[in-house]
Amino acid sequence: SLLSRENDPANEIFYTALQRKQREIQENLTCLEATRKQIMGDILNLEQGIGMLDYLNQIKVQLVETGLKNILFLRRMMNSVDYAGGYGVYFGRLYERIAAEKLTRLGSPLTIYHSPEYDPAGNDTEFAIPIAEKVRGSRDLPGGLHAKCVLQGPYSQLTSVYARLQEWMENKGYELSDSPYEIYLNDPYQDISPENLITEVYYPVKKK
């Protein structure tokens, strides 16, 4: 009970730890369920005679010009444990600073992936939110030519989007000119089902 927790600090510490572990387990269950649904969809496609190449070709790629953004950022090396813990803690720090300093938010949160290939030992990852003000800890995210895909669905499906973008670049004679990034159009604090998540993936590109 609340009274027993207040009378015994050890109980309060244990209660808080259990709550945190419960949230971690729930987050893992949500990720596993999204992955299970993705696998079921892949199996269904194969059973219906839809090959992986056909499936990837259904993902639309647009060639777009983007403008320069001023972003408030937090950059760190992320390992597999960090990724499993979720991005909320890093975006949370940025939102807290925006609120504390009364900064002006100009767009949706994004994640920029600077490592050329995934490495379980550590990946150079940047969390960012576009803002109006030039402050310490902000920088320009260059605009320019980008290959863009939009995903509506769980984040587990992003691997297919990246595969499609890689295939598109090879077929069209483009290559990466800078680090790719994801923009999350849903509010990260909004309670929303994985099927309704909307993510934009951008590949800065140039002709080979």
Side-chain angles (χ1 to χ4, degrees), residues 112-144:
I112 307 164
Y113 299 99
H114 294 286
S115 296
E117 293 182 0
Y118 178 76
D119 182 354
N123 294 271
D124 188 355
T125 307
E126 186 175 8
F127 304 91
I129 298 173
I131 60 171
E133 298 81 5
K134 298 280 188 179
V135 296
R136 176 184 53 81
S138 71
R139 73 173 183 89
D140 287 336
L141 178 66

Side-chain angles (χ1 to χ4, degrees), residues 60 62 64 66 69 107-113 146-153 155 158 161-162 165 180-186 197-203:
K60 295 182 180 179
Q62 297 174 279
V64 299
T66 66
K69 294 182 180 68
S108 299
L110 59 138
T111 305
I112 307 164
Y113 299 99
H146 288 70
K148 171 188 173 183
C149 281
V150 180
L151 168 68
Q152 179 170 341
Y155 298 134
L158 283 168
V161 172
Y162 279 91
L165 283 165
Y181 56 92
E182 300 167 357
I183 298 181
Y184 312 106
L185 299 190
N186 304 100
L197 294 170
I198 301 176
T199 308
E200 295 179 341
V201 181
Y202 289 84
Y203 266 34

Side-chain angles (χ1 to χ4, degrees), residues 87-102:
Y87 290 177
V89 62
Y90 309 105
F91 284 127
R93 293 175 190 170
L94 294 173
Y95 279 113
E96 287 171 5
R97 186 174 171 198
I98 288 172
E101 300 183 18
K102 297 180 171 58

